[in-house]
Amino acid sequence: MKVLVSACLAGINCRYDGKSKLNKKIKKLLEEGKAVCVCPEELGGLSTPRLPSEIKNATGEDVLDSKAKVYNKEGADVTKSFIDGAKIVLAIAKKYKIKKAILKAESAACGLGQIYDGSFSGKLREGNGVTCAYLLKNGIKVITEKDI
Ligand code: SF4
């Protein structure tokens, strides 16, 4: 069974700064045909490079419940792109019957357990990113690159 992985971990230059966060173990999974890579921010329609985005002092679950929003560093509301991206990622997971994901830690889309707090100061808070929260809610197990 394939595993879903954050595309930036597989070496795809899809991060806000146009770079990747290559993890050799993840790239190997992709090369061996054992992984499907996704970038929820790009799938939600955001361009690369782009301004970084963070959830404003809340969690991905709060965003999904319409209790919080995601903003880019210039204050533009990018919530819809984050929610759209999460929905497309889940559809891809279902298409491939995927039950497990390895996502990039700390991201507003992909993070698990800890995410940036919305102050764009590098400070972390408890919580999951929007896509991570959506996958968990739909029964998909999520770990991060720190767990492999
Ligand atoms: S949304 Fe996820 S996959 Fe895309 S660049 Fe950010 S952490 Fe990587």
Side-chain angles (χ1 to χ4, degrees):
M1 188 184 290
K2 288 183 192 282
V3 63
L4 198 72
V5 299
S6 291
C8 58
L9 294 174
I12 309 292
N13 293 326
C14 56
R15 293 186 78 222
Y16 73 92
D17 57 5
K19 297 178 181 168
S20 77
K21 275 285 181 182
L22 175 63
N23 177 298
K24 287 182 180 165
K25 288 183 192 165
I26 304 273
K27 190 174 181 203
K28 191 162 179 273
L29 286 176
L30 191 66
E31 287 169 349
E32 291 172 347
K34 295 177 181 167
V36 173
C37 68
V38 291
C39 174
E41 291 186 38
E42 284 193 345
L43 288 168
L46 297 176
S47 57
T48 302
R50 57 188 172 274
L51 291 169
S53 299
E54 296 186 3
I55 301 170
K56 184 85 176 171
N57 200 23
T59 67
E61 285 82 355
D62 294 331
V63 173
L64 293 171
D65 291 342
S66 303
K67 292 178 186 161
K69 293 194 165 188
V70 192
Y71 296 96
N72 74 20
K73 202 173 180 181
E74 286 184 351
D77 183 348
V78 291
T79 308
K80 184 175 184 309
S81 292
F82 273 69
I83 292 175
D84 287 352
K87 288 180 177 172
I88 294 169
V89 169
L90 180 65
I92 292 169
K94 283 185 172 170
K95 176 178 166 66
Y96 288 96
K97 301 187 174 16
I98 286 171
K99 293 284 176 213
K100 181 182 167 183
I102 308 170
L103 301 184
K104 171 76 185 72
E106 293 154 8
S107 145
C110 293
L112 171 73
Q114 278 199 314
I115 51 172
Y116 291 110
D117 70 354
S119 63
F120 295 95
S121 61
K123 275 199 282 180
L124 294 167
R125 55 157 288 149
E126 275 186 27
N128 301 316
V130 178
T131 289
C132 176
Y134 198 56
L135 292 179
L136 289 170
K137 195 176 165 185
N138 284 279
I140 295 183
K141 179 179 165 61
V142 179
I143 61 172
T144 76
E145 77 279 15
K146 295 180 178 180
D147 303 314
I148 61 170

